[in-house]
Amino acid sequence: MRLSRANLSALTNNVARPAAQGVTNGRIVHLGIGAFHRAHQAIYTQDGSTPDDGWRITGVSLRSPAVRDALNPQDGLYTVTEQSNGVASTRLVTVIDNVLVAPENPEAVIAVLAAHDTHIVTLTVTEKGYYRDTATGRLLVSDPAIENDVRGNSPQTIYGFLSAALALRRRAGAGGLTLISCDNLSGNGTLLLNLLLEFLDGRDDGLAEWARGHIRAPDTMVDRIVPATTAADRAFVASAIGVEDAGAIMTEPFRQWVIEDSFAGPRPQWENAGAQIVADVAPFELAKLRLLNASHSTLAYAGLQLQYDYVHQAIADPVLRDFVVAQMAEAVPTLIAAPGLDARAYITAILARFANADLHHRLDQIAMDGSQKLPQRWVATVTERFAAGQASPCHLLSVAAWIAYTADAPAIADDPLQARYAAIWAEAAGDVPLAVQRLVGELGLFGPELRQCPAFIATLAGAVAAWQQDGPGVALRAATKADGG
């Protein structure tokens, strides 16, 4: 028996159910619906709704029909199971009412974005979904998908869909929108709005000027570890809840959402569900990027080369754990002090979360799209410390581990620059310093301070060579000692 509204009575009593929702005051459209959104923003929206102030979510998959096929036959219902140290608790989520697949029905996506009762658009489209040129920070206008949308063809990117919907909203007097990026990008709301306006500025109908007066895009910080659900997870959930759930999500108890107080219209009372509505997200965002996300990437690239598959396995390696702790200590002086932000306590919590063996968080999942993540997670810290005359042995070795990882480009996790890695390593023909020089100089991931510093490039090349020759364990121990660990 499959989960659905008709089969709710078959759920076991240990499944927590939400209070009945009466009035629906607004709609959220989520672009890029996946496991993270369903374990994070959807939970906050459900918990922030009341019988008198309810909200619904329409999900949009920009590529695959998998989530639609999992949720729509279940009337949008699914369960979220929190696991930690052998204890599991499961709750029912009912806030999603429909999932659309954009390539199959772009008109339906545009219509729901333009609807009068839609006030908010949330996004989890990953870093590459913003089509940002990492070298300039501008819109990647040369990308074929952007070129397609600029020509006004059936949309393929978030900008094409938003542009078409905003034109309809302006014409119908439907009002503006709050666009909320939930991706791990520095200043994600500001970035999204700037790129959207750059896209709209190419039109000659004044839509960009209208958008400037009607669109808000608050910066946010999101945090929750949500591994990909496996067949074994779904079998575990089915045995626990009494029905099959094709949309089952497994996650940790921890969750965090910090949102800048900048909205274009109505919104759910997310703060009632534990979200923090603040004047400045930057200190929280920076701490997450440079402590949690940076450590995640380190565990991914080093851990995979140490033959680990999961985060909890990698952090259980004492050498790798000591290295990660030393790397976080390196980053702490670059953080912004803020009330309620205790770096030492945050690091302790991060290590405990990583060690949760109940969450099978795959390292190759974290390793995906490395070129889009590393500038914020590692390179910015190295650059700041470099400008202050400070060495960053742990961060530099993490970069070296990633570079060594790219040497096997055909076998690595998906990355938009994968073909470039393969070409550079092939043309270098075993010359590591040459490969490193080209990777630093040609990919747009490093600023001029580092690109134009021969000493930095030489040191990095030496670290890559040592990693490849001596092995990860020796290199990690050496860097930890160099950092004072």
Side-chain angles (χ1 to χ4, degrees):
M1 185 183 299
R2 188 165 173 181
L3 178 63
S4 69
R5 293 192 181 276
N7 294 331
L8 284 178
S9 61
L11 283 176
T12 55
N13 292 330
N14 61 342
V15 179
R17 294 163 172 78
Q21 180 179 305
V23 176
T24 298
N25 288 329
R27 178 170 303 281
I28 298 168
V29 177
H30 184 82
L31 302 180
I33 188 168
F36 183 78
H37 166 73
R38 288 179 281 141
H40 192 273
Q41 299 97 49
I43 297 292
Y44 279 99
T45 299
Q46 178 160 294
D47 289 355
S49 295
T50 68
D52 297 323
D53 182 25
W55 286 73
R56 305 295 291 170
I57 297 173
T58 295
V60 176
S61 173
L62 296 172
R63 293 184 297 274
S64 167
V67 177
R68 186 271 313 276
D69 294 346
L71 294 191
N72 282 3
Q74 299 182 176
D75 303 315
L77 306 181
Y78 63 98
T79 60
V80 172
T81 299
E82 298 177 356
Q83 290 183 304
S84 180
N85 300 318
V87 177
S89 62
T90 301
R91 61 180 296 170
L92 177 69
V93 182
T94 64
V95 74
I96 294 175
D97 63 2
N98 191 24
V99 177
L100 302 171
V101 180
E104 295 180 6
N105 196 347
E107 294 81 8
V109 175
I110 294 169
V112 73
L113 288 167
H116 279 69
D117 68 341
T118 297
H119 300 294
I120 296 170
V121 178
T122 53
L123 304 91
T124 49
V125 295
T126 75
E127 289 86 346
K128 61 187 175 184
Y130 293 85
Y131 294 89
R132 177 185 58 156
D133 187 325
T134 54
T136 66
R138 303 288 300 277
L139 188 66
L140 198 60
V141 293
S142 61
D143 189 278
I146 295 293
E147 291 178 344
N148 171 84
D149 289 4
V150 167
R151 289 194 297 266
N153 296 329
S154 182
Q156 297 179 7
T157 74
I158 58 174
Y159 306 109
F161 283 106
L162 290 172
S163 175
L166 292 177
L168 291 177
R169 295 184 73 88
R170 180 179 63 164
R171 190 179 311 144
L177 288 173
T178 299
L179 308 180
I180 304 181
S181 168
C182 299
D183 286 299
N184 287 314
L185 288 163
S186 181
N188 52 12
T190 302
L191 171 71
L192 169 60
L193 185 56
N194 287 342
L195 294 175
L196 174 62
L197 291 174
E198 185 178 349
F199 181 92
L200 296 178
D201 277 331
R203 302 169 59 115
D204 59 3
D205 60 356
L207 185 59
E209 191 60 32
W210 181 89
R212 286 183 171 89
H214 291 80
I215 301 299
R216 295 291 181 272
D219 290 333
T220 70
M221 189 275 274
V222 299
D223 192 2
R224 195 170 209 187
I225 297 172
V226 187
T229 305
T230 66
D233 292 331
R234 284 186 284 272
F236 170 82
V237 170
S239 65
I241 70 174
V243 296
E244 300 285 342
D245 178 8
I249 299 293
M250 313 298 286
T251 187
E252 62 175 337
F254 181 92
R255 70 175 193 239
Q256 186 178 19
W257 195 7
V258 185
I259 313 170
E260 180 187 4
D261 192 0
S262 177
F263 302 92
R267 64 169 178 84
Q269 297 303 301
W270 285 312
E271 60 268 45
N272 293 344
Q276 298 166 267
I277 311 297
V278 302
D280 186 7
V281 174
F284 302 90
E285 170 195 78
L286 196 65
K288 178 171 183 281
L289 282 170
R290 297 191 178 182
L291 298 180
L292 185 138
N293 295 135
S295 298
H296 249 165
S297 289
T298 296
L299 291 173
Y301 299 116
L304 286 167
Q305 293 175 80
L306 287 165
Q307 307 306 309
Y308 297 122
D309 295 318
Y310 301 104
V311 169
H312 69 273
Q313 296 172 336
I315 201 66
D317 182 317
V319 174
L320 187 49
R321 179 189 173 93
D322 286 347
F323 176 81
V324 166
V325 171
Q327 179 176 294
M328 287 195 279
E330 233 176 51
V332 166
T334 72
L335 303 181
I336 302 170
L341 181 58
D342 182 334
R344 185 182 298 274
Y346 190 42
I347 289 171
T348 300
I350 288 170
L351 293 171
R353 294 167 65 195
F354 287 170
N356 184 354
D358 287 339
L359 289 185
H360 293 163
H361 198 177
R362 295 194 62 86
L363 296 173
D364 55 7
Q365 180 187 8
I366 299 166
M368 292 174 61
D369 302 329
S371 63
Q372 308 297 294
K373 299 173 180 176
L374 302 193
Q376 311 92 270
R377 297 185 179 194
W378 294 340
V379 177
T381 301
V382 174
T383 303
E384 284 189 28
R385 290 177 61 89
F386 179 82
Q390 299 169 336
S392 305
C394 292
H395 283 80
L396 186 138
L397 186 63
S398 287
V399 176
W402 168 73
I403 288 177
Y405 178 78
T406 68
D408 192 18
I412 68 174
D414 286 346
D415 191 297
L417 298 185
Q418 201 161 345
R420 296 280 302 280
Y421 305 154
I424 288 172
W425 280 106
E427 292 162 12
D431 187 334
V432 172
L434 175 59
V436 171
Q437 183 176 26
R438 291 192 60 189
L439 288 165
V440 171
E442 298 178 15
L443 299 182
L445 308 183
F446 298 82
E449 305 92 340
L450 302 180
R451 286 200 313 268
Q452 298 168 13
C453 179
F456 168 77
I457 295 174
T459 302
L460 180 59
V464 174
W467 182 278
Q468 293 178 326
Q469 293 168 11
D470 302 333
V474 173
L476 291 167
R477 286 188 188 93
T480 304
K481 292 178 180 177
D483 197 62

